[in-house]
Amino acid sequence: MKKLLDGALLAGLALCLVYATVAFGAVSTEYAAPLYALASALAILWAVKLLLSKEAVWVRSPMHWAVAAFALYATARYLTSPIEYDSRIELFHVGLYTLIYFLVASNFWRQRDRSIVVVVLMVLAVAEAAYGLSQFGSGGADTVLNADRPEQYHGRASGTYICPNHFAGFLEIVLGLLLARIAIHRSAASSATRRVVGKTLEIAVGLVVVAGIVTSLSRGGWVAAIAGFVFFVLWAWRARAIQPRVAAGVLAVLVLLVGSALAVPSVRERLAQTVVIGASNKTVDVKDATLAGRTPMWEATLKMIPDHPIFGTGPLTWEWFHLKYRDPRLQARPKYTHEDVLQLISDYGLVGLALVIAMLGCFFWHAMRMSGRAHSPGQRAFAVGSAVAVATIVVHSFVDFNMHIPANALLVVTLMGLTVAMDGGSAGGRRLEMKRAPRIALAASIVVLVAVSLRFGIPTVQASRADTWGNAYKEVLDWDQALDSYQRAIAADPKFPEPYAKIGDVYRSRSALAGATTEEHASKRELAQHAIAAYEQSLRLNEYQSEVMLRLASAFELAGDDSSALRTYKRALAVDPNNAFNYLRLAIFYRRLGAEQLAVEAFARSSQLGESDQISVINIEDIRRSVQPR
């Protein structure tokens, strides 16, 4: 029974990793839902194993305390968050990663388990990289598994990820494991021929993965991959896992790969978009000082943090609080700050940062222990590889938001759990045999947590799905069907702000199209009042939606309440003071009232802000919309 359950757990884990990666990184609620269902099934299997197996072990590790503390802290911040819905989505993610970490750390300490995971990742990475290369080779196909990619990704490899940067992040993680496996791991094959074939295959996989990173044209991915090579040499050399000549060989390979990449025209063009070499060839200037819109977001975030330093603004709330601090050059509304460290501090405060640093510190401590000569080559290779993989994605996290992509974050916590489990498996004092009472208590706790998660998760997914259908009906002006879908979304999840706002849109559009007869005029105002009620309910759930405020102000105008409309326009400006469109709408309102001087001033401010908009950033909402089920 125990072997059967262990096999099922390992197969389920592999399926989770593959599904999350293939399903566009699981960036949308609908595509993440099967991942959560798989994770719930794994949790139940773990509980069954705890109850039925003759023996169950628990690995002692200081990292457990850090992981559990962050999960509890995230729950507490969710309960106190000013925006319940967004923080709930974040809590689902944190819960998933916490479950997978503890499940892996408690069950997969054998070499066989790690080998299977590595092989699955190698096959998956080759498939992803090959798909990415086909996109790049065909001039950058603008679809991914029949889903449209945003135009800004044209000509770049992204595999089954919509965003090439997240594709590069996944390959970086696998590359770290491959480097250590190629240089440190010794095959158990009996014949020299098989060992040579095995190493040849590993090297071939590594080259394909590197090619995928290069053709992603992700500058952050390139920097992180180079840092991974260097980190591998430093870590493996310090741990005496490789000889100096091997270290020199790895660095020589890195130089060769960089030189080969520079021979690719698209790579040179991408670099030319970033830096300019002076006429004397002695100076290098940054051509894009904003790093594709990143630095203005970082500067705004650094202004936000002192206002909420200890506990942050709340999980996944940066998108809304950022509006008040936004740089005028950035008129788009990004969901993430494109810098996971700043996002972490902004959302969770210094307390959250301290807990994550503690987790990373404990993980690298485990990896260092297992890198020593007292352990087998297979253990040392995995320890060094996982350390390189995590360090690489941390480097990339300073310029992107890979840790907010479920597929990549799930892979990172899996490697962390495997490393902790390996340490427990190799040192008898760190593996504890669980007695009957603790096993029953742990199994019961797992079942309760799964039940609570399903209680809140299923309605969240149902509401998101109904909202997606409502949006589709709304686009083709089938307003009755759209209203029905939005009402179903609200029935499933009354705390979801979006369907209320979309209902307001439908009634406002109907009001605007109403005729001028006396009867139609009355209907026009009645429809406008329905829109006002819907918008106000959405704003009660999230008071930072400046776009909804503009639509509410328009509904007030349709209802003939100009004083409320003016207050609402000013409210939108208070929340989002550097938004050119907010001033444009206010200017149009003033002009309708005949307040020409105020209209001219608002038009001037809108024009000034619009002219300063020089930045286009990755908008995660565009990515999510492109992969919404039709």
Side-chain angles (χ1 to χ4, degrees):
M1 175 64 73
K2 183 176 181 297
K3 289 184 178 180
L4 180 63
L5 290 172
D6 283 338
L9 285 171
L10 187 58
L13 174 66
L15 185 58
C16 282
L17 294 174
V18 172
Y19 172 81
T21 302
V22 173
F24 309 106
V27 293
S28 71
T29 302
E30 288 91 337
Y31 279 103
L35 174 62
Y36 284 100
L38 285 169
S40 298
L42 282 177
I44 297 300
L45 281 175
W46 184 19
V48 171
K49 177 184 174 183
L50 288 169
L51 294 175
L52 299 184
S53 297
K54 294 182 180 180
E55 62 176 17
V57 297
W58 182 262
V59 177
R60 292 190 303 173
S61 169
M63 188 169 171
H64 294 347
W65 295 104
V67 172
F70 186 84
L72 291 173
Y73 176 64
T75 304
R77 286 301 290 124
Y78 158 71
L79 295 173
T80 57
S81 173
I83 306 174
E84 188 274 342
Y85 182 80
D86 294 78
S87 294
R88 188 201 319 163
I89 299 300
E90 175 78 349
L91 184 61
F92 287 156
H93 292 165
V94 171
L96 170 68
Y97 307 146
T98 302
L99 167 66
I100 294 300
Y101 165 77
F102 278 110
L103 185 148
V104 171
S106 302
N107 292 280
F108 302 135
W109 54 271
R110 301 171 187 81
Q111 176 66 41
R112 178 204 63 185
D113 301 329
R114 295 188 297 275
S115 297
I116 290 174
V117 171
V118 171
V119 169
V120 168
L121 291 176
M122 288 171 61
V123 173
L124 182 59
V126 168
E128 286 287 335
Y131 188 25
L133 289 169
S134 71
Q135 294 166 327
F136 180 80
S138 62
D142 291 325
T143 59
V144 176
L145 301 179
N146 293 324
D148 295 329
R149 289 198 306 179
E151 186 178 350
Q152 68 198 88
Y153 303 145
H154 180 75
R156 300 173 63 184
S158 67
T160 59
Y161 291 80
I162 297 295
C163 176
N165 297 339
H166 306 150
F167 166 71
F170 165 74
L171 294 181
E172 294 157 17
I173 298 170
V174 179
L175 179 61
L177 294 173
L178 281 169
L179 284 174
R181 190 172 180 86
I182 292 169
I184 301 173
H185 185 265
R186 296 174 187 169
S187 174
S190 57
S191 68
T193 302
R194 289 184 177 182
R195 289 195 293 270
V196 170
V197 170
K199 285 299 175 185
T200 301
L201 285 174
E202 291 170 359
I203 292 171
V205 171
L207 291 174
V208 172
V209 167
V210 169
I213 296 173
V214 170
T215 55
S216 72
L217 302 184
S218 170
R219 294 166 296 184
W222 296 343
V223 171
I226 292 171
F229 271 89
V230 175
F231 188 82
F232 166 73
V233 170
L234 295 177
W235 186 289
W237 195 355
R238 184 183 183 281
R240 298 182 180 179
I242 58 174
Q243 298 296 324
R245 57 185 177 82
V246 177
V250 172
L251 293 178
V253 168
L254 174 60
V255 172
L256 179 62
L257 291 174
V258 170
S260 300
L262 291 175
V264 179
S266 297
V267 173
R268 294 198 302 271
E269 291 172 8
R270 185 67 168 165
L271 289 173
Q273 297 171 7
T274 310
V275 296
V276 178
I277 300 176
S280 62
N281 292 328
K282 294 182 179 180
T283 61
V284 178
D285 299 320
V286 178
K287 186 175 182 179
D288 178 11
T290 70
L291 299 179
R294 288 169 172 79
T295 56
M297 288 187 286
W298 301 345
E299 291 166 2
T301 306
L302 290 171
K303 295 176 182 176
M304 291 171 57
I305 290 172
D307 291 342
H308 310 273
I310 306 302
F311 303 112
T313 59
L316 212 61
T317 59
W318 177 90
E319 171 188 9
W320 306 106
F321 281 83
H322 165 256
L323 299 177
K324 185 177 179 180
Y325 302 83
R326 83 153 91 200
D327 190 300
R329 293 173 294 171
L330 181 65
Q331 291 297 305
R333 198 196 75 196
K335 191 175 184 68
Y336 301 109
T337 189
H338 291 58
E339 213 275 26
D340 276 330
V341 178
L342 287 179
Q343 179 96 29
L344 172 68
I345 302 172
S346 173
D347 285 352
Y348 290 96
L350 295 175
V351 173
L353 176 65
L355 291 172
V356 171
I357 290 175
M359 280 190 280
L360 290 173
C362 292
F363 163 72
F364 284 118
W365 175 75
H366 276 290
M368 182 62 73
R369 280 171 50 89
M370 297 305 300
S371 301
R373 287 187 168 183
H375 303 286
S376 69
Q379 291 174 322
R380 300 177 79 190
F382 190 87
V384 174
S386 62
V388 172
V390 173
T392 301
I393 203 66
V394 167
V395 170
H396 199 165
S397 292
F398 279 95
V399 292
D400 267 313
F401 54 99
N402 269 288
M403 292 307 293
H404 281 85
I405 304 303
N408 291 352
L410 185 69
L411 178 52
V412 168
V413 297
T414 298
L415 296 183
M416 288 180 164
L418 286 169
T419 302
V420 172
M422 178 172 60
D423 196 352
S426 65
R430 304 193 67 80
R431 292 182 67 227
L432 300 177
E433 183 71 30
M434 294 182 67
K435 296 182 179 179
R436 184 69 177 172
R439 287 164 57 183
I440 293 175
L442 179 57
S445 298
I446 292 170
V447 172
V448 169
L449 288 174
V450 169
V452 171
S453 299
L454 293 176
R455 164 65 181 80
F456 291 98
I458 291 175
T460 300
V461 173
Q462 290 174 333
S464 179
R465 181 65 174 169
D467 182 69
T468 298
W469 279 107
N471 293 339
Y473 286 127
K474 180 171 170 284
E475 286 181 4
V476 297
L477 303 183
D478 189 346
W479 287 333
D480 290 334
Q481 289 286 357
L483 285 174
D484 180 67
S485 296
Y486 293 138
Q487 291 292 354
R488 285 191 286 108
I490 291 170
D493 186 359
K495 294 185 177 181
F496 187 11
E498 183 170 314
Y500 293 103
K502 295 302 178 63
I503 287 175
D505 290 343
V506 172
Y507 282 122
R508 181 172 59 89
S509 298
R510 283 181 165 177
S511 176
L513 293 174
T517 66
T518 302
E519 182 178 343
E520 289 174 327
H521 187 68
S523 175
K524 181 186 188 79
R525 293 203 171 197
E526 182 181 355
L527 290 167
Q529 289 297 335
H530 285 308
I532 289 168
Y535 286 136
E536 287 181 336
Q537 179 58 32
S538 181
L539 288 169
R540 277 192 284 272
L541 295 171
N542 180 354
E543 62 181 340
Y544 300 94
Q545 302 175 92
S546 64
E547 295 176 359
V548 175
M549 293 175 193
L550 294 182
R551 284 133 65 187
L552 173 60
S554 176
F556 277 126
E557 290 187 69
L558 291 169
D561 189 350
D562 288 339
S563 60
S564 294
L566 179 59
R567 285 198 303 272
T568 307
Y569 281 125
K570 290 184 176 180
R571 181 183 173 190
L573 283 172
V575 169
D576 193 0
N578 287 324
N579 189 328
F581 190 63
N582 286 356
Y583 280 100
L584 177 62
R585 289 291 303 276
L586 179 62
I588 294 171
F589 174 75
Y590 277 138
R591 186 172 184 181
R592 186 181 65 79
L593 293 182
E596 294 297 332
Q597 183 57 40
L598 292 174
V600 168
E601 292 174 2
F603 271 126
R605 180 58 176 158
S606 175
S607 178
Q608 180 185 22
L609 290 170
E611 290 176 356
S612 67
D613 181 14
Q614 306 166 355
I615 296 170
S616 175
V617 299
I618 296 171
N619 190 339
I620 195 68
E621 290 308 314
D622 292 338
I623 295 175
R624 286 177 173 163
R625 279 193 291 270
S626 70
V627 300
Q628 292 292 355
R630 296 298 197 273

